[in-house]
Amino acid sequence: MINLKVKLAGVEFENPVMTASGTFGFGREYGEYFDLNELGAICVKGLTLEPREGNPPPRIAETPAGILNSVGLQNPGVKMFLKSELPQLKEVTRAKIIANMAGNTIEEYCEMASILSESSVDMLEMNISCPNVAHGGAAFGSNPDMVFEITSRVRAAAKKPLIVKLSPNVTDITEVALAAEQGGADALSLINTLLGMAIDIKTRRPILKRNVGGLSGPAVKPVAVRMVWQAANAVRIPVIGMGGIASWEDAVEFLLAGAKMVSVGCGMFREPALPVTVKNGIAAYMEKNNFQSVEELSGAVQVY
Ligand code: SIN
């Protein structure tokens, strides 16, 4: 009998598959495609203290094997999330709920962490890696000293386990991973999107109104697997792997690289029930290859 259960920072998940923030909204739409109890966890769209409309359009561009977005953290704000979204989500699923939070300042992150700690969410994910906003976001996540400072302050304000979501737009991922661990992070998630650009050669203008945006999708997967492997080997806290997962085989790669859980993101835009396929595929792979637990599979890559 294989065991798909995973424990991260004291929180037990039925299986290692979750949805990546920003690709699943608050779960309303996807409930029409599959039973949300199939998921280990749902990570909701990035929340800010006040509601945000996000960036002006166009803010999505398709690229070969990927998607560029510059959504700009559109969301209803933390209060509306707690009033309208979290209760409906709790009604339709037993999956663990992770609240992703973003802010302009360290104080805003701290305030959100303390508000969300009083709610029924299971974990907090601190987004210091959004490339689409003028303040906060990746500006915090690309400097190890800043990562240490913000993580320590938010850790002190939070009463729930804290995941720090890292940016791939850095030279050395292990520096920021270690800074987050030293600051008190309970887990890391990576990667957020890679900064990219697409230009319309007829108009000679960038396709995105904000000129640049974050690239995700299968195109980024090898970069993500490499960074997860490096980060997982540098820190002792658990790592959640994501970036371009489009099949169960992709997810197994992340687990072999050292992730304890995986997040499915924009792969769901093409195949809404992808997380279920991924979960079943991981289980079948474990059975066939004699892995009893996800813990055993995690980090089992045999490097040269
Ligand atoms: C966005 O809303 O711009 C995407 C969120 C992110 O990249 O962190």
Side-chain angles (χ1 to χ4, degrees):
M1 274 292 282
I2 55 152
N3 181 9
L4 277 185
K5 285 196 175 156
V6 188
K7 207 169 185 181
L8 245 76
V11 180
E12 190 165 83
F13 300 84
E14 283 301 311
N15 66 70
V17 182
M18 59 170 78
T19 60
S21 172
T23 56
F24 202 73
F26 299 102
R28 287 183 194 272
E29 298 81 3
Y30 283 94
E32 291 174 22
Y33 294 95
F34 66 95
D35 178 359
L36 302 185
N37 288 313
E38 296 268 3
L39 294 163
I42 292 171
C43 187
V44 302
K45 174 66 186 156
L47 300 163
T48 48
L49 261 186
E50 301 302 330
R52 286 200 194 179
E53 285 187 1
N55 293 331
R59 54 189 198 176
I60 294 285
E62 274 196 57
T63 62
I67 178 172
L68 269 175
N69 93 80
S70 102
V71 170
L73 297 172
Q74 178 184 345
N75 80 96
V78 68
K79 288 195 191 92
M80 192 53 91
F81 164 72
L82 292 176
K83 187 166 166 242
S84 317
E85 302 295 348
L86 185 58
Q88 66 83 23
L89 206 44
K90 283 274 176 193
E91 248 172 51
V92 295
T93 185
R94 292 183 301 277
K96 297 288 184 280
I97 308 295
I98 301 172
N100 178 291
M101 48 183 197
N104 290 330
T105 59
I106 295 185
E107 289 68 29
E108 277 187 20
Y109 279 96
C110 290
E111 194 175 339
M112 297 212 27
S114 83
I115 293 173
L116 286 163
S117 288
E118 300 306 322
S119 77
S120 60
V121 301
D122 298 283
M123 288 181 107
L124 309 177
E125 181 177 64
M126 179 166 75
N127 182 353
I128 48 169
S129 43
C130 176
N132 302 325
V133 287
H135 306 285
F140 283 126
S142 45
N143 174 323
D145 293 339
M146 202 57 169
V147 171
F148 174 79
E149 186 183 346
I150 190 169
T151 306
S152 335
R153 300 242 323 251
V154 174
R155 178 59 279 167
K159 293 196 208 91
K160 304 258 179 183
L162 179 68
I163 305 165
V164 176
K165 185 165 185 177
L166 301 181
S167 170
N169 301 304
V170 293
T171 309
D172 183 354
I173 195 70
T174 64
E175 279 187 5
V176 280
L178 284 164
E181 178 177 59
Q182 283 153 10
D186 297 290
L188 303 176
S189 57
L190 64 151
I191 60 172
N192 203 326
T193 53
L194 277 158
L195 195 61
M197 183 177 195
I199 298 173
D200 181 333
I201 62 166
K202 289 191 213 84
T203 61
R204 298 195 286 277
R205 279 183 169 278
I207 293 176
L208 299 174
K209 188 78 172 190
R210 205 168 172 271
N211 299 324
V212 295
L215 180 67
S216 58
V220 310
K221 196 196 75 182
V223 177
V225 171
R226 184 265 295 174
M227 287 194 165
V228 164
W229 175 66
Q230 289 179 318
N233 280 293
V235 298
R236 285 185 303 267
I237 51 176
V239 169
I240 302 163
M242 69 194 80
I245 293 178
S247 66
W248 66 263
E249 290 93 335
D250 293 340
V252 169
E253 269 192 69
F254 277 93
L255 295 170
L256 288 169
K260 295 262 184 297
M261 293 188 78
V262 290
S263 288
V264 179
C266 66
M268 290 182 292
F269 299 165
R270 221 187 44 179
E271 188 185 337
L274 180 60
V276 182
T277 311
V278 166
K279 183 188 88 168
N280 294 338
I282 293 171
Y285 178 86
M286 286 171 61
E287 195 143 13
K288 191 166 170 211
N289 293 278
N290 300 317
F291 287 104
Q292 312 283 296
S293 65
V294 178
E295 192 67 37
E296 265 179 33
L297 174 59
S298 172
V301 62
Q302 294 170 26
V303 288
Y304 297 106

